[in-house]
Amino acid sequence: MAITIDDGPNLEQTPRLSPEQRNLAMLKALSRHGVTAALFVTANYAATQPAGYALAKAWGDAGHAVGNHSMSHPDLHSDKVSLAQYQKEILDCDAIISTLPGYQKWYRYTYLREGNTPEKRDGMRSFLKQHNYRNAYVSLDTSDWRLNEKLVEVLGKNPQADVSAIKRAYLAHIRQRAEAYRALSWQLQGRDIPQVLLMHHNLINALWLDDVLAQFKDMGWKFTTPAAAFSDPVYQLVPDRLASGQSLLLSMGRILGLGKFPGGERLVDDGDFEIEELKRQGL
């Protein structure tokens, strides 16, 4: 399992923790468990400002990799976003993050969407190759962002609210996704692959990343670095789909005509199962 964190850092104000406290909490959790991760920077969220740049630099200083996640997180599938605009976002972000320790020529597609037309898809693949960028695939996708929205909503109303139910739902969500994607790797590859986990630089992980990492250890998982994971042959694959993207494993499964499988419906529900359960508990 390799840990990757998207959309970071950011200077958004959240309940309980300041931007600096959120950043430090995640770095401390990773250090406590001996995990070397990767931060994928969306530069306009913070890194264009001195305070935010310092937060991103802290990741490189701590030995983590730093990758590119565009300037402003545009959607390549949008008709309002041209291929040229999308590519400029990457180059502009690169100009900022290339000055950071830990910088890697890795690009993580926004929304994991690689182009809804052959022109965009193939244009981006040529662009990344031309600029010596690796597609920083995700194999184990999560909807941590959805549960983070619920957490911020509840704490926004009452900063002292009991959010233990959200914590339990989050840990259960991560466990379910991990088990389902591991089973999918066996179905598609006949082996355990080094999974690349997608999480986000947000409040829920500032509060509970330590618990997530401890849960993986309890489940018997071991941690590797993103660089080591990306060296596995599975991450050299280039799925031939019109609307390429999402988890690499899901994309492979769709190419192979994989239908329904146990837990599969939960991989694309954006956390609906957990949110509905929390609503039944009055949250």
Side-chain angles (χ1 to χ4, degrees), residues 3-25:
I3 305 296
T4 65
I5 310 286
D6 283 11
D7 296 359
N10 66 72
L11 295 175
E12 178 188 6
Q13 296 299 318
T14 58
R16 293 197 180 179
L17 297 177
S18 69
E20 294 76 16
Q21 289 171 326
R22 292 195 308 272
N23 201 59
L24 183 59

Side-chain angles (χ1 to χ4, degrees), residues 1-282:
M1 162 74 65
I3 305 296
T4 65
I5 310 286
D6 283 11
D7 296 359
N10 66 72
L11 295 175
E12 178 188 6
Q13 296 299 318
T14 58
R16 293 197 180 179
L17 297 177
S18 69
E20 294 76 16
Q21 289 171 326
R22 292 195 308 272
N23 201 59
L24 183 59
M26 281 181 266
L27 288 172
K28 282 186 173 180
L30 292 165
S31 177
R32 192 173 299 118
H33 291 277
V35 175
T36 299
L39 176 72
F40 285 90
V41 175
T42 303
N44 280 349
Y45 288 177
T48 55
Q49 304 175 53
Y53 184 90
L55 297 183
K57 184 175 182 295
W59 286 74
D61 287 340
H64 302 292
V66 175
N68 190 320
H69 199 42
S70 81
M71 286 296 292
S72 62
H73 211 282
D75 185 354
L76 187 57
H77 284 201
S78 171
D79 292 337
K80 297 179 181 179
V81 177
S82 71
L83 179 61
Q85 288 172 324
Y86 195 83
Q87 292 171 347
K88 185 176 186 302
E89 288 254 348
I90 298 170
L91 294 176
D92 289 348
C93 181
D94 189 86
I96 296 169
I97 66 170
S98 62
T99 63
L100 291 168
Y103 165 71
Q104 301 290 329
K105 299 214 76 171
W106 298 345
Y107 181 66
R108 169 69 50 79
Y109 279 91
T110 51
Y111 305 101
L112 301 183
R113 294 173 184 160
E114 299 181 19
N116 61 334
T117 67
E119 291 75 20
K120 284 185 174 181
R121 182 199 64 185
D122 296 342
M124 272 303 301
R125 288 177 176 174
S126 296
F127 173 85
L128 294 180
K129 184 176 181 179
Q130 175 188 352
H131 291 275
N132 297 313
Y133 256 93
R134 165 184 289 281
N135 182 343
Y137 282 124
V138 170
S139 64
L140 204 172
D141 190 14
T142 75
S143 297
D144 66 332
W145 57 272
R146 182 79 181 281
L147 288 159
N148 182 71
E149 288 178 353
K150 172 58 70 174
L151 175 67
V152 171
E153 174 194 329
V154 170
L155 290 178
K157 296 175 182 175
N158 176 12
Q160 305 307 317
D162 179 2
V163 290
S164 57
I166 301 177
K167 179 180 179 179
R168 288 192 298 271
Y170 182 42
L171 292 176
H173 171 78
I174 296 292
R175 178 185 290 271
Q176 185 276 328
R177 289 284 178 100
E179 291 174 344
Y181 276 115
R182 185 182 185 191
L184 187 55
S185 76
W186 275 94
Q187 190 169 356
L188 296 173
Q189 291 285 301
R191 65 184 175 97
D192 270 324
I193 67 167
Q195 300 277 355
V196 175
L197 174 69
L198 169 59
M199 309 176 83
H200 291 86
H201 194 288
N202 53 22
L203 180 62
I204 203 167
N205 287 314
L207 293 178
W208 300 322
L209 178 57
D210 184 72
D211 299 277
V212 169
L213 298 177
Q215 176 175 261
F216 274 120
K217 285 184 175 179
D218 291 342
M219 293 168 65
W221 290 59
K222 291 180 169 55
F223 297 109
T224 188
T225 67
F230 286 142
S231 70
D232 188 274
V234 74
Y235 294 104
Q236 312 309 313
L237 299 176
V238 183
D240 186 16
R241 298 177 59 223
L242 174 59
S244 190
Q246 292 189 310
S247 156
L248 176 62
L249 289 173
L250 278 182
S251 194
M252 289 166 52
R254 291 193 170 104
I255 290 171
L256 297 173
L258 182 65
K260 293 183 178 180
F261 57 93
E265 69 284 352
R266 296 272 304 279
L267 299 184
V268 293
D269 74 347
D270 284 342
D272 289 344
F273 179 90
E274 289 82 11
I275 293 298
E276 289 304 313
E277 180 58 30
L278 288 170
K279 286 180 180 178
R280 283 191 287 272
Q281 298 178 49

